[in-house]
Amino acid sequence: MPGFASTKEKKFCTSMPMPQPRGPSGSGSPDALDPKLATRSARRQASMKEMRATLDELGQGHLFAQWSEGGGSDAKANEARFFEQMVALDASYPGGLKAYVANARQLLAESKSGVNPLEGWTPKVPTGTSLRFASTEYLEHEQVGVQELDGCSFVLVAGGLGERLGFSGIKVALPYQISTGDCYLQLYIGSILALQRRAAEATGKPVQLPLAIMLSEDTFALTEELLKANGYFGMLESQVTLLKQEKVPCLGDNDARLSPDPDDPYRLLTKPHGHGDVHFLLHSTGTLERWQGAGVRWVYFFQDTNAPCFKVLPACLAVSKKLAMEVNSVCVARRAGESIGGIMQLDKGDESMTVNVEYNQIDALLKATVEPKGDVDGPDGYSPWPGSINQLLFALAPYAAKLKQTGGGMPEFVNPKYTDGTKSAFKAPTRLECMMQDYPKSLGPEAVVGFSSVSDAVSFSPVKTNLKDARTKPKGMPTYSAASGEADIYLSNCEMLTAAGVKLPAFKETTRGGVTVMDCPRVVIDPSFGVTVADWKAKLPEPSAVQLAPGSTLVLRGDLSGLTIESLALSGTLVVDLAPGAVVTLKSVKERNAGWAFKDLAEGEEVPEPLAIRGYTL
């Protein structure tokens, strides 16, 4: 599938030159013949010696204990390979290996002694704004937010494969729905381009909205290939930055001794550090500095498989603007016990911070402080704590300044699995981890950190649960499966039609692929149709003249900026595909046909992975 090429940022490792072939010592040696080679070799040796001294100083002498003795060429090459990895790891962590080991020892000591990071903190509902979708207040916020779109930048965190779902490729290549088969990355870039066009209309000047994508060793090449093959999905190469996340060393014990690979004593075991690395990468590559110089004011972080993630952005931009927020967590209404975190203001003496509290910590924290019943719903059927969904809206100027001050370092945690209650040995090597949403923990109490939450609308429907596990979810709890993700994008588009005045048939629950979903007309509309409710209303001047029968499928594709729908009666399936620049009005369109239907797969039926993870076909 096509893809957008990228401006590759430098990898955050200093590659140590590999040993150069050497002849016998004396005048025949290449180093003796070429002073440049001799200088490079000397620098290499000095760098290796310096790194060896650093590791010894950090108590990591065990790493050298099993090395082969002697001065053979294989041993020298292996040593050079080892130190090359060390230099890379040193450069990819704020403060280098010294800081990593020091942080690890502190966190491991706290873990062993059972320190509770929430001890002594009292929660309360933080600063923020809750809006009801399509209400008068919501529409007013949308119109304010549109004026801020020209200052937006976007960061997609996409370091994972779809293996847990049963998909062997990168998650952004998954079709977000099978009525068209368009993938998540195409939808995301199309949404940004639609926001870009709307920003240009609002300001009367050309606008380019930049996108950065954080990738991993597993996803970098495949994402780059997807983008290049699809011509960036219409985005310019200069708008896109690919950031590659490096890993961190594994830790073998409570003394933070680094773990060598059991199959290769000249290599350390490493694991991902977590999506919190995105802050370090944006800073250390100069991406934020470059964006700031281009007039960017806002940074919007979003995830790799949440199709409706841009739906409420204009309204949430207005919340950030009105409340002068440095950090705005874009939230959803959360049900008690739901497996998403809650945004809380935590107070302890003169200290205060507004942060995400993980869902498995909420109940105990509330019982120990303000609510003896723990995590319970309020009178409206929802928890008072806004649901954290890892969609974050930052004001760029204070964000860039803070990262410049900290070097991009993030609050971390460690989660070792101990062999027994003495907590003296690990079942397997562990590592330090960091989360993107923990950035506010690094801020002082003067920073304005809060939330914006939109109810009565689908704006969060990630695909992260495999079909087998989704089928066993308790009734009423979101499944976050491929089946629910697809159903929710149809529902989200229907919500936009309804907000624009279209009367649709009543929605009802159904089972698709063994998963309970909401059944409604299957509506797929390209983001170019409009980015606000007001935009959709303008394209539907007579909403009462638009009728979609139950079970219908309406697909509007291509460049919809010139499309107006005056009258449409559909029973079945209608696909309209517009060429770039086309101006089209649908007048008195009546279509009735057999339509498309979803069919559950038979047990063991052989189908492509995107269908297998759903449990049905079209």
Side-chain angles (χ1 to χ4, degrees):
M1 302 177 75
F4 65 78
S6 68
T7 303
K8 289 189 190 175
E9 297 294 345
K10 63 180 181 181
K11 290 177 65 175
F12 306 110
C13 59
T14 303
S15 296
M16 180 171 294
M18 294 297 289
Q20 299 298 314
R22 295 177 60 90
S25 60
S27 61
S29 166
D31 285 4
L33 294 173
D34 188 340
K36 290 183 179 179
L37 286 178
T39 301
R40 183 163 59 181
S41 176
R43 287 176 178 169
R44 180 175 66 249
Q45 294 300 322
S47 179
M48 292 167 65
K49 184 176 180 180
E50 182 180 355
M51 180 56 69
R52 173 74 183 246
T54 296
L55 292 170
D56 284 334
E57 177 188 341
L58 295 174
Q60 307 296 333
H62 65 285
L63 296 174
F64 313 113
Q66 312 223 352
W67 281 12
S68 301
E69 295 185 6
S73 59
D74 287 347
K76 289 184 180 297
N78 285 331
E79 288 180 22
R81 180 165 55 85
F82 170 84
F83 284 112
E84 182 179 7
Q85 185 192 24
M86 293 304 101
V87 170
L89 293 170
D90 188 61
S92 63
Y93 185 86
L97 290 174
K98 288 184 178 181
Y100 184 77
V101 171
N103 293 341
R105 285 175 177 157
Q106 178 182 342
L107 290 169
L108 287 167
E110 292 174 356
S111 174
K112 184 177 181 179
S113 61
V115 171
N116 177 3
L118 297 177
E119 185 72 34
W121 294 94
T122 301
K124 69 178 182 182
V125 177
T127 299
T129 300
S130 295
L131 301 168
R132 182 170 56 82
F133 179 70
S135 65
T136 299
E137 185 182 13
Y138 178 87
L139 299 179
E140 290 172 351
H141 275 75
E142 271 198 331
Q143 294 313 301
V144 172
V146 163
Q147 303 303 316
E148 294 297 319
L149 288 175
D150 67 305
C152 279
S153 61
F154 301 88
V155 180
L156 168 59
V157 178
L161 298 170
E163 292 170 328
R164 283 196 303 173
L165 297 169
F167 180 66
S168 56
I170 52 176
K171 287 194 284 185
V172 292
L174 266 173
Y176 73 96
Q177 41 74 28
I178 59 174
S179 292
T180 67
D182 295 342
C183 69
Y184 278 98
L185 192 53
Q186 180 174 352
L187 172 67
Y188 290 156
I189 292 179
S191 298
I192 294 171
L193 292 176
L195 293 165
Q196 177 175 291
R197 174 178 285 174
R198 189 67 179 84
E201 292 172 356
T203 60
K205 62 183 181 182
V207 174
Q208 284 190 13
L209 305 182
L211 168 66
I213 309 177
M214 186 179 82
L215 302 162
S216 66
E217 186 68 38
D218 293 331
T219 62
F220 191 95
L222 292 171
T223 303
E224 188 174 43
E225 180 183 352
L226 175 65
L227 296 170
K228 286 182 176 179
N230 286 278
Y232 311 90
F233 295 106
M235 189 170 270
L236 297 176
E237 179 178 4
S238 58
Q239 291 176 254
V240 183
T241 300
L242 298 189
L243 305 170
K244 185 176 178 184
Q245 179 188 24
E246 303 296 339
K247 297 180 180 181
V248 293
C250 290
L251 307 162
D253 57 28
N254 284 321
D255 291 327
R257 298 206 314 165
L258 305 181
S259 297
D261 188 328
D263 298 323
D264 183 355
Y266 294 94
R267 185 164 187 82
L268 289 190
L269 287 178
T270 59
K271 290 183 179 180
H273 189 217
H275 47 56
D277 277 350
V278 69
H279 304 298
F280 171 70
L281 292 173
L282 288 169
H283 165 71
S284 59
T285 59
T287 300
L288 293 182
E289 185 178 8
R290 188 172 70 251
W291 286 355
Q292 199 169 8
V296 172
R297 303 186 300 279
W298 306 103
V299 186
Y300 186 54
F301 297 84
F302 62 104
Q303 303 296 305
D304 50 12
T305 56
N306 181 29
C309 64
F310 293 101
K311 182 177 183 179
V312 299
L313 176 58
C316 294
L317 270 170
V319 174
S320 285
K321 178 75 172 178
K322 289 183 175 184
L323 299 181
M325 285 187 185
E326 288 188 29
V327 176
N328 179 358
S329 288
V330 177
C331 294
V332 295
R334 175 185 174 275
R335 286 189 170 87
E338 190 174 346
S339 55
I340 57 175
I343 298 297
M344 297 181 172
Q345 179 177 323
L346 301 179
D347 296 326
K348 182 167 64 174
D350 294 334
E351 297 180 82
S352 181
M353 60 181 178
T354 297
V355 296
N356 168 72
V357 176
E358 291 299 304
Y359 70 91
N360 57 358
Q361 299 175 305
I362 292 176
D363 190 67
L365 175 62
L366 294 175
K367 285 179 178 177
T369 53
V370 297
E371 177 50 73
K373 294 180 181 179
D375 189 16
V376 294
D377 288 328
D380 62 353
Y382 290 99
S383 163
W385 313 104
S388 172
I389 57 175
N390 276 1
Q391 286 174 207
L392 304 168
L393 182 58
F394 288 5
L396 175 56
Y399 174 50
K402 185 64 178 180
L403 293 187
K404 190 172 183 180
Q405 175 190 338
T406 64
M410 282 289 296
E412 297 171 299
F413 63 95
V414 68
N415 187 26
K417 302 296 187 291
Y418 299 104
T419 57
D420 56 41
T422 67
K423 297 185 177 181
S424 57
F426 303 160
K427 291 181 180 179
T430 188
R431 88 287 199 183
L432 299 191
E433 300 178 68
C434 62
M435 298 190 294
M436 180 177 70
Q437 65 270 31
D438 280 347
Y439 167 76
K441 292 180 179 179
S442 66
L443 302 177
E446 73 285 350
V448 181
V449 180
F451 74 93
S452 51
S453 179
V454 178
S455 62
D456 300 328
V458 174
S459 59
F460 179 62
S461 186
V463 175
K464 57 183 181 180
T465 307
N466 64 60
L467 191 57
K468 180 180 177 181
D469 291 343
R471 289 169 173 166
T472 63
K473 290 276 187 177
K475 184 173 177 58
M477 281 294 180
T479 64
Y480 300 140
S481 62
S484 63
E486 173 155 12
D488 283 348
I489 196 63
Y490 301 137
L491 180 58
S492 182
N493 284 326
C494 283
E495 288 173 346
M496 290 294 288
L497 289 175
T498 300
V502 176
K503 303 296 183 184
L504 295 175
F507 309 151
K508 58 184 179 180
E509 284 189 347
T510 189
T511 301
R512 199 167 291 155
V515 175
T516 300
V517 299
M518 191 61 67
D519 191 28
C520 61
R522 294 84 187 253
V523 178
V524 182
I525 299 182
D526 189 86
S528 59
F529 191 69
V531 300
T532 66
V533 173
D535 294 341
W536 283 51
K537 285 182 175 181
K539 297 291 187 75
L540 297 158
E542 296 291 338
S544 60
V546 177
Q547 301 169 8
L548 304 180
S552 295
T553 301
L554 175 64
V555 177
L556 304 177
R557 304 184 70 181
D559 178 6
L560 305 185
S561 59
L563 176 65
T564 302
I565 304 175
E566 290 187 359
S567 176
L568 169 64
L570 174 62
S571 178
T573 295
L574 176 65
V575 179
V576 181
D577 198 343
L578 273 65
V583 178
V584 175
T585 301
L586 302 185
K587 294 183 178 183
S588 303
V589 175
K590 297 180 179 180
E591 179 61 38
R592 177 182 294 273
N593 56 52
W596 295 347
F598 292 116
K599 176 187 174 185
D600 281 359
L601 300 175
E603 188 69 31
E605 185 174 349
E606 293 288 334
V607 294
E609 288 177 342
L611 300 180
I613 67 172
R614 287 169 161 80
Y616 57 85
T617 188
L618 183 64

